[in-house]
Amino acid sequence: MKKMMIILLAAVMVFGMTAAAYAAPAENADAQESQGESAGDPGESDQESAGEPGDSPQESAGEAGEDLYAAITAADLSMSDSLQSELNVTVDGAALKVSVFEDCYVLNPTNLASKPNASGIDQLVSVYIPEGADKSSPILFCVNNAGWLMNSYSGRTTVKDGSSYVSDSDTDIVGYALANKYLIVSYGARSRSDAPEDGKYVSHAPATITDTKAVVRYLRYNKEELPAGDTDKIIITGTSGGGALSAIIGASGNSPDFYESLYAIGAAGVEKDGDAYVSTINDDIYAVVAYCPINDLREADAAYEFTFGSTRGRLVAENAPCRVKKDVTSVFNNDLPEGYTYQAMLAASEMLAAEYAAYVESLGLVNEDGEPLTGANLEAETIRLIEKEIAATLASDGIDSMLQDLTVKLQGASAEYYPGDEGWEDWLIVDEDSVTFDYQEYLYWLCRNSALKMVPAFSNMGIHEEGSISSQNEDSLYGTEDFAYSAFNEYSWDNDAVAGNGCGIDDTGMSFTEYLASEEGAVLAMQLKMTSPIPYLVSGEADIAPYWYVRHGMADRDTSFNLQTVLFTAISNSKAVAAHNTGFAWLKTHSGNYDIQEAFGWLNDAVSE
């Protein structure tokens, strides 16, 4: 009783708000820099995440705020004891009140963030409710981006007091949501860069996914207490790593694969019955709006070389530098580590590319003509999708605008290679009667402006000694709690050179395939499944979101075009998907939230149909 009185008194005195105030009708109707996906890439976009960083009520409340969060953490999952505040913003020049709930969304939170949260709690959620929202209002769930590295609460999308937003911008997702009376939900979660807890690496996969699902469950647990918002209309959105996370959540709704990890964190609606886990609350979602998703990580290295392998060989043969830093030129995004030669890199590229071709054929997907999608026709399908975007841009923007675009330095580009430069070959010739597109010259143009990643692009931590560039890749998503990382594809596994890291033939005595099939490797095998939307989309074993909008920029080399073609095809092949709009975006770099009007306009039309 004493604890309850402290919470209620502080909430009234500090914030002076009640839930009833949130339902009042209204009288008047950015961005986080990317942290790069792997191998120390510089940030490439200021469009990767909407909203503005800003203090939460707790973050500016000092010791009183810490006391309140300590009480909330010890309480149950009800929103009744959440911190409540009110913001005053303008949307399209008109004043708008936005009510805020802040709460811990699990019973067993952690405190492991590499960038510490002011509250000492990783699993906090913010629910922003614009004045005039009601129980039919959709919920926009914004996940954090940057390769699952920085999922702390401080990195969430925020609505900032005193800020001005607009509803008709292609880049202001917060303004669009507030003007259309969407609730905005953002949160903190465990990340792959977290510190261990009592010597255990508990933030390995599926931790970030589990925490994200727990937010969905928290919202549904509190659907009666929410003063507005339809918890059956949750739209999840993110870019890059956040795009991949959004796709996984959209593909794996209510999958029992996650029940054990949900139970461990104290998520709503998961109970244990003997040795089994049961769920009484769903975590499926309504729609996905994802940009440049770094998805299907087990196959991402192979897909990268399937797309860029021949271009990589050409760059080496020509010794064509892209990246210039401190008087050192490099063909790729980093200089070669000691002992790693171009010859070894190209051999690895060839092997990985062949692996991806076999993988694609194993999926059983079909293209829009009803033909099996194979390694032999995947590139042709990718070219078809790119040419479709070129034709659409030509129709909307015109010839002169498109040709002018080719002379403008790409956002985040590490060099400049444009018409008129020595060795330039046109990859796009447009006249009034025809469009000629040269895919190989297009890849070369892209990789001369934005340096390719090394091989492997995503998993190479164990290949070289600790402390090299390889220590920054996605390996830290994987492995048992006893080790900081694990190689997660066959090439990296076979070439692991660090003794005592718990992975590779040297430590396990098993090939990658043998390890995944063993009892010891069951954790990694399940992690690889749970961090990809593809197994769920192909099998249909989970409750898949019915609406999908996915974009990947034509000037984005952070992951491969063919990997995205496979994702687009898997979405289109799913019988659970009611409508989808997937494809490439004209000369967009590794970024997102650049076509808000198109994305949500399409979603509104698709739902109404």
Side-chain angles (χ1 to χ4, degrees):
M1 178 63 72
K2 181 178 180 181
K3 178 177 70 178
M4 183 178 296
M5 290 178 64
I6 291 173
I7 296 170
L8 292 175
L9 179 62
V12 172
M13 291 182 64
V14 177
F15 302 110
M17 289 294 300
T18 65
Y22 302 147
E27 294 181 3
N28 299 298
D30 68 13
Q32 161 180 308
E33 182 173 299
S34 165
Q35 300 301 310
E37 285 299 324
S38 67
D41 274 354
E44 299 208 9
S45 170
D46 62 0
Q47 293 179 319
E48 287 222 29
S49 133
E52 303 175 42
D55 293 339
S56 70
Q58 185 274 335
E59 289 164 340
S60 59
E63 294 182 3
E66 293 176 7
D67 291 342
L68 283 172
Y69 268 94
I72 288 173
T73 304
D76 59 22
L77 295 174
S78 171
M79 288 184 66
S80 62
D81 58 8
S82 62
L83 298 184
Q84 302 172 26
S85 60
E86 186 174 274
L87 308 176
N88 291 285
V89 303
T90 61
V91 178
D92 297 333
L96 180 71
K97 293 186 182 299
V98 179
S99 303
V100 189
F101 290 90
E102 291 188 281
D103 202 3
C104 179
Y105 59 84
V106 297
L107 294 175
N108 306 317
T110 58
N111 180 25
L112 306 170
S114 57
K115 182 178 180 180
N117 295 300
S119 62
I121 299 171
D122 296 322
Q123 291 84 10
L124 293 175
V125 63
S126 292
V127 181
Y128 299 95
I129 305 179
E131 193 174 14
D134 58 31
K135 282 292 191 177
S136 68
S137 296
I139 298 173
L140 182 67
F141 184 8
C142 300
V143 305
N144 291 3
N145 303 318
W148 302 4
L149 279 167
M150 300 293 290
N151 285 289
S152 62
Y153 189 57
S154 61
R156 73 197 184 284
T157 295
T158 63
V159 181
K160 192 170 183 180
D161 192 37
S163 292
S164 297
Y165 302 97
V166 293
S167 65
D168 58 355
S169 167
D170 264 333
T171 59
D172 188 351
I173 194 170
V174 170
Y176 179 91
L178 293 177
N180 288 278
K181 308 309 177 189
Y182 286 30
L183 277 67
I184 299 174
V185 173
S186 59
Y187 70 127
R190 287 170 292 173
S191 307
R192 65 185 177 92
S193 56
D194 285 350
E197 183 176 61
D198 298 327
K200 298 292 184 180
Y201 292 90
V202 300
S203 294
H204 286 330
T208 308
I209 308 166
T210 296
D211 289 358
T212 307
K213 285 177 172 284
V215 174
V216 176
R217 289 169 170 271
Y218 168 87
L219 293 170
R220 293 207 168 114
Y221 180 87
N222 287 285
K223 66 180 180 179
E224 299 303 327
E225 294 186 56
L226 268 173
D230 184 347
T231 59
D232 289 330
K233 292 183 180 177
I234 296 174
I235 304 163
I236 194 166
T237 186
T239 296
S240 189
L245 179 57
S246 297
I248 294 162
I249 298 298
S252 65
N254 308 322
S255 171
D257 291 346
F258 297 88
Y259 287 177
E260 182 176 358
S261 60
L262 285 163
Y263 179 81
I265 203 70
V270 182
E271 301 168 359
K272 194 170 184 180
D273 183 7
D275 293 331
Y277 297 91
V278 295
S279 176
T280 59
I281 294 177
N282 289 341
D283 54 43
D284 60 310
I285 52 104
Y286 188 63
V288 176
V289 178
Y291 295 94
C292 53
I294 307 291
N295 75 96
D296 206 8
L297 279 171
R298 175 178 171 176
E299 304 300 331
D301 285 311
Y304 201 79
E305 300 315 311
F306 186 94
T307 299
F308 294 116
S310 61
T311 305
R312 188 184 297 279
R314 179 177 171 182
L315 292 169
V316 169
E318 296 179 3
N319 191 29
C322 174
R323 177 174 167 273
V324 181
K325 185 178 180 181
K326 296 181 179 178
D327 300 323
V328 176
T329 60
S330 176
V331 173
F332 303 116
N333 67 327
N334 280 285
D335 299 322
L336 293 183
E338 185 177 353
Y340 193 43
T341 66
Y342 279 148
Q343 289 72 26
M345 179 189 295
L346 295 179
S349 175
E350 184 176 355
M351 190 207 82
L352 285 164
E355 176 188 315
Y356 194 64
Y359 167 74
V360 171
E361 295 183 14
S362 74
L363 295 175
L365 299 172
V366 297
N367 63 21
E368 70 168 12
D369 295 326
E371 299 174 348
L373 189 67
T374 68
N377 63 19
L378 175 58
E379 183 174 289
E381 181 66 9
T382 298
I383 292 172
R384 183 188 71 79
L385 292 172
I386 293 174
E387 289 180 336
K388 180 180 177 182
E389 173 61 15
I390 290 172
T393 305
L394 179 61
S396 62
D397 295 3
I399 297 172
D400 293 340
S401 175
M402 292 180 72
L403 295 179
Q404 179 63 32
D405 289 342
L406 298 181
T407 68
V408 178
K409 183 177 180 180
L410 297 176
Q411 182 181 13
S414 47
E416 293 187 44
Y417 175 65
Y418 296 107
D421 288 352
E422 183 178 356
W424 169 270
E425 295 287 344
D426 289 326
W427 58 266
L428 183 67
I429 301 174
V430 183
D431 59 37
E432 293 183 358
D433 300 317
S434 65
V435 175
T436 303
F437 172 62
D438 188 320
Y439 181 65
Q440 293 303 323
E441 290 298 334
Y442 156 69
L443 294 179
Y444 182 76
W445 164 82
L446 175 60
C447 297
R448 284 292 303 272
N449 283 286
S450 188
L452 278 176
K453 297 178 182 181
M454 306 288 277
V455 181
F458 299 94
S459 171
N460 61 4
M461 181 170 282
I463 294 177
H464 309 294
E465 292 299 321
E466 302 271 9
S468 72
I469 62 162
S470 55
S471 65
Q472 300 174 46
N473 282 11
E474 275 83 347
D475 302 71
S476 54
L477 262 176
Y478 298 103
T480 66
E481 293 182 353
D482 295 323
F483 294 96
Y485 64 88
S486 175
F488 60 91
N489 64 38
E490 184 174 5
Y491 182 85
S492 297
W493 187 271
D494 290 348
N495 288 276
D496 178 72
V498 180
N501 63 358
C503 66
I505 296 174
D506 57 339
D507 274 28
T508 67
M510 290 181 274
S511 70
F512 188 63
T513 301
E514 290 171 339
Y515 181 76
L516 292 182
S518 70
E519 183 178 352
E520 182 182 351
V523 169
L524 179 57
M526 184 56 72
Q527 287 173 327
L528 290 169
K529 177 186 179 184
M530 290 190 287
T531 53
S532 173
I534 301 299
Y536 299 99
L537 287 167
V538 170
S539 69
E541 65 186 54
D543 292 323
I544 298 168
Y547 299 101
W548 291 72
Y549 183 95
V550 187
R551 287 291 182 271
H552 183 80
M554 276 182 58
D556 183 349
R557 69 87 182 102
D558 273 45
T559 192
S560 69
F561 301 107
N562 292 304
L563 186 84
Q564 305 295 30
T565 298
V566 169
L567 174 62
F568 300 160
T569 307
I571 292 168
S572 70
N573 281 198
S574 172
K575 294 180 180 179
V577 175
H580 62 90
N581 187 327
T582 59
F584 298 103
W586 171 251
L587 294 196
K588 293 297 183 183
T589 56
H590 194 68
S591 56
N593 290 335
Y594 44 68
D595 57 359
I596 300 304
Q597 303 303 313
E598 178 183 345
F600 286 87
W602 171 83
L603 180 58
N604 291 335
D605 290 343
V607 170
S608 65
E609 292 175 2

